[in-house]
Amino acid sequence: MANMETFYYDNKIVRNFAIATIAFGVIGMLVGILIAFQLVFPVLNFDTSFLTYGRLRPLHTNAVIFAFVGNGIFTGVYYSLQRLLKTRMYSDLLSSLHFWGWQLIILSAAVSLPLGLTSSKEYAELIWPIDLAIAVVWIIFGINMFMTIIKRREQHLYVAIWFYIATWVTVTVLHVFNNLQIPVSFFHATNVFAGVQDALIQWWYGHNAVAFFLTTPYLGLMYYFMPKAANRPVYSYKLSIIHFWALIFIYIWAGPHHLLYTSLPDWAQSLGTVFSIMLIAPSWGGMLNGLLTLRGVWDKVRVDPVLKFFVVAVTAYGMATLEGPLLSVKSLNAITHYTDWTVGHVHIGALGWNGMLTFGMLYWLFPRLFNTPLYSVKLANYHFWIGTLGILFYAIPLYWAGWTQSLMWKQFSPDGFLVYGNFLETVTQILPMYRIRAIGGSIYYVGFLIMVYNLWKTAAAGKLIANQEASSPPREENAVHTGEYWHKWIERKPIQMLVVSAVLILIGGIVEIIPMLMIDNNIPKIASVKPYTPLELEGRDIYIREGCVGCHSQMVRPFRSETERYGDYSKSGEFIYDRPFLWGSKRTGPDLHRVGGKYSDSWHYNHMWDPESMAAGTIMPRYPWLFENDLSTKYTAAKIKNLQMLNTPYPDNYADKAVSDLEAQAKKVAANLEKDNIKMEGLEKKEIVALIAYLQRLGTDIKVESSEVIKK
Amino acid sequence: MAKYILESAGNINWMALFALITFMTVFLLVVFMVFMDNKAFIKKMENLPLDTEDDMPTSFSKHS
């Protein structure tokens, strides 16, 4: 063909991201295995602050989501984008900045999270300087991607690229709004939103992080790599278009299904449920589109490990996206929420959908990047079967555990008492399931390591084709497109695509969130609910630092089984000073919203020193460092000032006397402890005192008198 | 079921209706657009990833 242009695809950046995917997969999953075993053998917390479950759990989730899957996304995007657009990436420098910036962010997360530097918001735990770095690197990625699209040689944008664009724009919006904070210091910040609003924004973010980080980019990869591996076009391109628009429109609304039966207003919960159920349609449309792409080539699935991985990945996607909507139905959610069912569910997504798709993609990519056959197809097949087995051994015990524990929580005797009044009984009952889960995770990991070996040998046998030659005619800049429908017009225009996607996802966000921000209209104020004292505030920050929210909720749902066990159900007005909210999403230990005044100060003291001494058989780790560390009051005044800026009603100039108030209250707690024969040098200065003060305050504001709603 | 959900939404029925109407509009528009596309164009689009020259001439090894 005349007028062909020759250019080179950048494979080096693809290889770099692929290596990072593998390396952080090795680390992230290893941490996952460690915390799974910690739940069975608490001794594995090693009485060491930076190795405790509460701090390592966010490390595991962040490493798997943003390091393993994140790098997996970039691997696939950088490979497919260049080829679908018939051009090299716009700028090698931006590609490189993106790569190294992202790895630096991951490393800073790997350091900061074990140190307890966290904002405590699930999947957005990183502190504000890292949040800013993420924004910068994400924008670099965006510029690189859009400029590549603009200088493309292919006129039309294949559907995979639409998914990449929607991913970019939505993650940008989510990241900004969920991380709005006012810095107190380099490591600490005050959340702009409080209580119910914070919860809604967090789960609007959290749910859509699943949607637009773990799902839409991977659907883009599916639409590219699945036809590639099967060597036939996608089953229905028309269906993929409908899949795209319906999915991005509906997904954004479903966040509140994480907050059913909480203090979130009913209307928001209902919206979350309805849209979650609607999600089944586009999700299954996408799944079927993927699976039906293999029509006529199922014989290849028998021999090609890449296709095997893809089949299990897409099937897991289908299972998880059916399960998700079902769990959003209130009656089912009442049983499964806060249990291990949720953990099983997300791992069908993570291990099945993201993991298996990544593996398939890597097995497909490495031979091509290094221009050599895969070292061993047999090993890849072993990996497939071991990985699939690992998923089953991981998820099934957790479904079992979740169901069992929930029914135990709700079991009443004929006399009307809770049969399992001691929460711990319901934990020890499911420990065997935790054991099998940890083994299941390990099995999956063994498969992963086999892949690492196989790909290592493949890379060693070949040589990276860093710049791969290709040719294509240039794009017709001013082509006349008469008589075409505006659908094609959108497809040719990346910026229009960006704008339309942004508008669609913003509709859901705005309609759902803006009314919630009208705080006075939506949150009934309760007269007796007062701001935290400086000591309680510092105690709360220790609670956040130690990741207590990973195992303890602070949200008593309006069920008899919960009000009997914990006390009065939680009211939205009780959380108006909670920045950030700490409702939690999992009860590995009991809910703590009404724990204030339930036990003596000395009980908490002994319990934090050695949980076993107060509750034999517990799996809670020890926190000995709280008894060694002196409480830092360096930023107490600054925290109070920030809270005042956000309308927390402390008296004028309270920041000046906050520390003296803190010390006075600490002395009282210490005196209380001394009454129970707890003597320790400088006790009133220790962190444990602040934590006790906070725990004793929890949920007590409306305990004394019945809640008086002064303002609707 | 739908009636119950709409009722439980209290005085913000407009929100449920708004969501439903915007979704239906977008959905119908997309379906309409998709079915107006001509076959040749769809064929071209669905074959975009399959340009084998993009990849190294490699096949899976049979050795193990």
Side-chain angles (χ1 to χ4, degrees), chain A residues 79 228 368 375 468 487 491, chain B residues 37 41 49 54-56 63:
Chain A
Y79 186 87
K228 278 286 209 196
R368 285 162 178 85
Y375 170 68
Q468 181 188 328
H487 164 220
E491 264 173 34
Chain B
D37 272 327
F41 174 70
D54 283 343
D55 312 307
M56 291 286 114
H63 85 251

Side-chain angles (χ1 to χ4, degrees), chain A residues 135-430:
Chain A
V136 170
V137 173
W138 192 252
I139 286 168
I140 289 173
F141 167 52
I143 293 172
N144 206 12
M145 178 165 77
F146 282 103
M147 292 308 288
T148 308
I149 294 175
I150 284 168
K151 71 163 201 169
R152 70 195 184 277
R153 291 186 176 80
E154 168 56 50
Q155 184 76 293
H156 293 279
L157 304 181
Y158 182 64
V159 69
I161 300 173
W162 309 7
F163 279 101
Y164 303 157
I165 292 176
T167 299
W168 187 85
V169 65
T170 314
V171 169
T172 308
V173 174
L174 295 170
H175 180 70
V176 169
F177 281 97
N178 194 39
N179 289 300
L180 290 175
Q181 295 163 328
I182 305 173
V184 172
S185 67
F186 192 71
F187 297 126
H188 194 94
T190 311
N191 224 47
V192 166
F193 300 111
V196 179
Q197 284 102 352
D198 195 35
L200 181 63
I201 295 206
Q202 157 59 27
W203 282 113
W204 169 73
Y205 164 88
H207 175 75
N208 287 302
V210 174
F212 288 88
F213 206 85
L214 299 175
T215 308
T216 54
Y218 265 60
L219 285 169
L221 300 186
M222 176 190 90
Y223 276 121
Y224 181 78
F225 287 102
M226 197 122 173
K228 278 286 209 196
N231 198 26
R232 55 192 304 124
V234 63
Y235 169 66
S236 164
Y237 193 75
K238 289 180 177 176
L239 180 56
S240 73
I241 296 171
I242 298 172
H243 176 203
F244 172 80
W245 289 110
L247 193 83
I248 67 161
F249 185 91
I250 298 177
Y251 235 133
I252 202 83
W253 296 75
H257 70 207
H258 290 256
L259 298 167
L260 299 179
Y261 289 112
T262 67
S263 306
L264 188 76
D266 216 28
W267 61 262
Q269 297 186 26
S270 299
L271 270 185
T273 301
V274 172
F275 275 88
S276 301
I277 292 170
M278 284 165 72
L279 257 179
I280 296 176
S283 302
W284 273 53
M287 173 195 69
L288 292 173
N289 212 1
L291 286 180
L292 288 172
T293 300
L294 300 175
R295 75 207 179 287
V297 288
W298 282 94
D299 54 314
K300 272 181 84 177
V301 177
R302 273 206 306 260
V303 290
D304 185 351
V306 172
L307 287 178
K308 285 183 196 170
F309 279 108
F310 284 170
V311 166
V312 169
V314 176
T315 309
Y317 172 64
M319 292 302 106
T321 53
L322 174 66
E323 195 187 359
L326 292 180
L327 295 180
S328 306
V329 175
K330 273 187 144 182
S331 43
L332 201 55
N333 188 275
I335 300 169
T336 63
H337 196 52
Y338 295 126
T339 74
D340 288 292
W341 187 291
T342 313
V343 185
H345 166 63
V346 299
H347 280 83
I348 291 287
L351 302 175
W353 165 237
N354 296 114
M356 299 301 247
L357 199 91
T358 309
F359 302 149
M361 180 180 80
L362 291 172
Y363 280 122
W364 189 87
L365 274 177
F366 264 63
R368 285 162 178 85
L369 292 176
F370 291 92
N371 195 25
T372 180
L374 185 69
Y375 170 68
S376 167
V377 174
K378 202 177 198 175
L379 281 182
N381 276 318
Y382 283 151
H383 174 196
F384 169 76
W385 286 110
I386 292 170
T388 306
L389 206 65
I391 296 174
L392 298 178
F393 271 89
Y394 187 101
I396 294 170
L398 285 192
Y399 290 145
W400 195 291
W403 201 260
T404 305
Q405 192 177 27
S406 182
L407 293 182
M408 289 175 83
W409 289 343
K410 290 172 187 294
Q411 182 77 42
F412 280 100
S413 68
D415 306 327
F417 294 106
L418 286 169
V419 174
Y420 305 98
N422 182 1
F423 188 93
L424 187 54
E425 278 181 278
T426 72
V427 178
T428 47
Q429 178 72 27
I430 58 171

Side-chain angles (χ1 to χ4, degrees), chain A residues 559-614:
Chain A
F559 303 141
R560 187 166 157 255
S561 59
E562 299 211 355
T563 52
E564 281 294 309
R565 184 183 299 277
Y566 302 117
D568 199 6
Y569 67 90
S570 306
K571 323 284 189 295
S572 54
E574 291 182 82
F575 301 101
I576 56 174
Y577 303 122
D578 279 18
R579 294 171 199 277
F581 82 114
L582 292 172
W583 293 0
S585 56
K586 172 74 175 65
R587 286 179 185 155
T588 304
D591 187 279
L592 296 181
H593 189 217
R594 301 278 177 225
V595 80
K598 195 169 179 181
Y599 305 100
S600 66
D601 287 0
S602 58
W603 187 93
H604 284 295
Y605 183 95
N606 290 322
H607 186 246
M608 297 307 292
W609 174 254
D610 183 10
E612 267 276 326
S613 68
M614 308 312 285

